[in-house]
Amino acid sequence: MSMVVFPYKADDPDVAVANLATAASHPRVSRVVAVGAASTPLLDRVADGAAEVARRADAAVEVVVQDRIGDRRPGKGDGMLTGMRLFLASDEERVHFYDADITNFDASWIDGAEGALDAGYPVVRHFFPRASTDAMITWMVTRPLFAIGHPRSALWRIRQPLGGELALTRPVAEELMASEFVTRRSDWGIDTALTYAMAAGGHAVYEHYVAGGKQHALYGSLAELEEMLWECFEAAVETTRLPSPPPFEHVTEPEAPAPPAIAHKVGYDVESTLHLLAAEWTADEEEAAASLPPSIGEPLLANRRRPTFAFCDADAWYRALTSLLSLYRPEPAWRRVLFRLWVARVLAYTTTDALCGHGEAMRRLETTVQSYAARSGDREAGD
Ligand code: DGY
C-alpha cells in the first residue's frame, strides 16, 4: 500500500483538505499526511478538515508540523524530509508527494504513478505543460546547470527536476535519506538534491504526463522567486561538483500540446519585474558584477542607469552560468547579482522566444538546454 504526503505552507486550506480527501479515498492509499511548515491557524483549519476526512475514509489521515532536519533555511526541504522520515517509520511500501495547492488534483495522478511503479519503475515523476514564461528557474538554472555539469548523463533531460510531484519505492526512499547531500537541504534546494540523488543511484525514472497541467497559484513579479532562485542555484552548483550519475533508464510519456488556458497564460508580471534590474545597487554588488567577464558584467552594470536585458541571450547566459560556477559565493552581493542576471535572462527570453507561441517557445527552451550539454560535452572532451 502507499502513503501520500502533502507538504503544506500557507495554501488555501480548503484546497489542501480536498486533496487529502482525494488521496484518502484512493484504493491504493492507506495513509495520508499533510506536513505543515509551522503550526498556524491555517494549518489548524487543515487539521480540522483532515479529522473530518479521516472519519469517512479507510486510510489514516493526519496533519503534522515538520521536523527540523536539514542545515539550510528551514523550508520545503524539511517538509519533504519529514514526510520521508514518517514513511520510513511506517509499513507502507511506496510514498507519493504532491504539492498541497494543486487545484486539479484527482485520482489520475495517483493512478499514473502506481501504474508505473507496478511496471517496475522505482521512481515516478509527474510532469505537465506549463506556461512558456513559467518554470523560469527550471529552464534557466536547473536544467542548464545539470547539462553543464553532467552533459553525458540523462539527468538534464528530466523534464521537471524541481517538480514536487513524485512517487518512490521504499528502497529508493531509504537510499535518499541515507544521503547527506539530500538530508541537509531543508530549503528550496530539496527538489534539485532529490533529482540528482535519484539519478546518482542509477534508478530507472518514469515521467508520467499530466495533460491538464498543474493548476495552482501564479506569481506576481519575479521578486517572489528570488529566494527560490538562490537556493535552487546553490543546490544545482553543488551537483556540478559531484560525480556524474551512471547511465539510468529514463522513460518519458509523450507530451500533448498545452491546453489554451496554459498556452496563453503569462507566468509572471513583466512590468513589476522590469524595475528590479535598476533598483538599489550596493557597492558590493557592483564589485561582484565587475568581476564577471566584461561582455556580461558591463551590460549588467548599465542597469544602474536604465533597465537593459537584451544582452542576456542564450549564449550570454551560458557564459554567465559557467563564470558563476567559479565566481559565485552564497553571500548577499552575489545572490543579488545572480538574481539580476536571471531577471535579465528571463526578460530577454520573454520578449523574444516566448513571443513565438507556446509550442515554438518550448522547443527553443529545450534546444537551448541541449546545446548547453553539447557545448559542455565538447569542452570536457577537449580537456
Ligand atoms: C520553476 O522554475 O520550475 C519554479 O517552479 C518556478 O516557476
Side-chain angles (χ1 to χ4, degrees):
M1 291 294 275
S2 296
M3 172 167 162
V4 178
V5 176
F6 292 96
Y8 176 86
K9 195 171 173 194
D11 317 297
D12 181 341
D14 295 337
V15 172
V17 171
N19 291 341
L20 293 178
T22 301
S25 64
H26 194 284
R28 289 292 189 90
V29 175
S30 48
R31 191 165 177 207
V32 182
V33 185
V35 182
S39 176
T40 59
L42 281 180
L43 189 66
D44 290 344
R45 282 179 54 194
V46 177
D48 291 345
E52 196 53 44
V53 172
R55 271 194 281 282
R56 296 191 309 266
D58 292 333
V61 184
E62 64 197 296
V63 175
V64 300
V65 174
Q66 68 191 36
D67 297 334
R68 182 72 180 115
I69 299 179
D71 63 6
R72 309 296 161 116
R73 185 187 61 78
K76 185 190 176 193
D78 273 344
M80 290 192 78
L81 294 167
T82 300
M84 210 73 99
R85 226 184 219 179
L86 289 170
F87 167 63
L88 291 183
S90 77
D91 294 332
E92 273 78 24
E93 289 141 16
R94 300 166 169 183
V95 62
H96 295 234
F97 288 89
Y98 299 103
D99 284 356
D101 67 340
I102 309 176
T103 54
N104 62 327
F105 182 72
D106 61 20
S108 70
W109 294 68
I110 300 178
D111 292 339
E114 289 284 327
L117 290 164
D118 290 349
Y121 290 93
V123 175
V124 183
R125 307 182 59 97
H126 299 279
F127 76 113
F128 34 83
R130 297 181 75 176
S132 61
T133 47
D134 189 10
M136 288 290 104
I137 302 177
T138 294
W139 281 115
M140 302 305 177
V141 173
T142 315
R143 293 193 58 193
L145 284 177
F146 281 170
I148 291 169
H150 306 291
R152 294 175 208 286
S153 166
L155 177 63
W156 61 265
R157 296 184 191 272
I158 291 176
R159 295 294 205 282
Q160 285 169 10
L162 300 184
E165 290 73 33
L166 38 102
L168 314 167
T169 58
R170 175 172 287 273
V172 174
E174 277 167 357
E175 190 182 294
L176 293 172
M177 288 302 279
S179 155
E180 219 184 284
F181 177 63
V182 169
T183 55
R184 295 181 62 187
R185 279 281 159 199
S186 43
D187 60 8
W188 287 117
I190 188 67
D191 303 302
T192 311
L194 288 171
T195 303
Y196 168 82
M198 285 168 201
H203 303 292
V205 176
Y206 187 92
E207 295 194 280
H208 168 248
Y209 187 63
V210 180
K214 172 178 148 184
Q215 285 149 32
H216 64 132
L218 266 193
Y219 313 111
S221 92
L222 290 182
E224 285 178 37
L225 295 178
E226 184 166 355
E227 190 176 61
M228 188 191 280
L229 171 75
W230 307 330
E231 294 178 355
C232 291
F233 177 83
E234 288 166 19
V237 167
E238 275 190 46
T239 69
T240 66
R241 298 176 184 143
L242 296 173
S244 280
F248 60 92
E249 189 187 350
H250 175 220
V251 175
T252 305
E253 286 185 1
E255 292 174 52
I262 293 173
H264 301 147
K265 192 164 69 175
V266 180
Y268 66 96
D269 180 33
V270 175
E271 281 186 6
S272 56
T273 294
L274 206 53
H275 83 278
L276 300 170
L277 286 168
E280 298 158 31
W281 280 79
T282 64
D284 286 349
E285 278 176 62
E286 290 180 358
E287 195 185 316
S291 69
L292 287 163
S295 63
I296 299 155
E298 283 169 14
L300 182 66
L301 281 163
N303 278 289
R304 289 171 300 173
R305 293 181 294 281
R306 63 180 173 84
T308 305
F309 53 81
F311 73 94
C312 214
D313 60 12
D315 177 59
W317 185 239
Y318 179 86
R319 284 180 282 112
L321 286 174
T322 48
S323 307
L324 286 169
L325 281 180
S326 52
L327 293 170
Y328 181 89
R329 302 279 169 271
E331 298 161 355
W334 273 109
R335 285 177 163 166
R336 288 297 292 169
V337 166
L338 166 72
F339 176 65
R340 288 191 214 268
L341 267 173
W342 173 75
V343 167
R345 174 69 197 121
V346 174
L347 286 168
Y349 157 80
T350 303
T351 51
T352 55
D353 303 319
L355 298 179
C356 301
H358 187 267
E360 177 59 18
M362 301 316 284
R363 263 188 295 283
R364 289 187 187 189
L365 287 168
E366 190 67 47
T367 311
T368 300
V369 177
Q370 275 168 18
S371 75
Y372 289 177
R375 212 160 149 176
S376 295
D378 291 349
R379 215 182 41 188
E380 270 186 1
D383 282 348

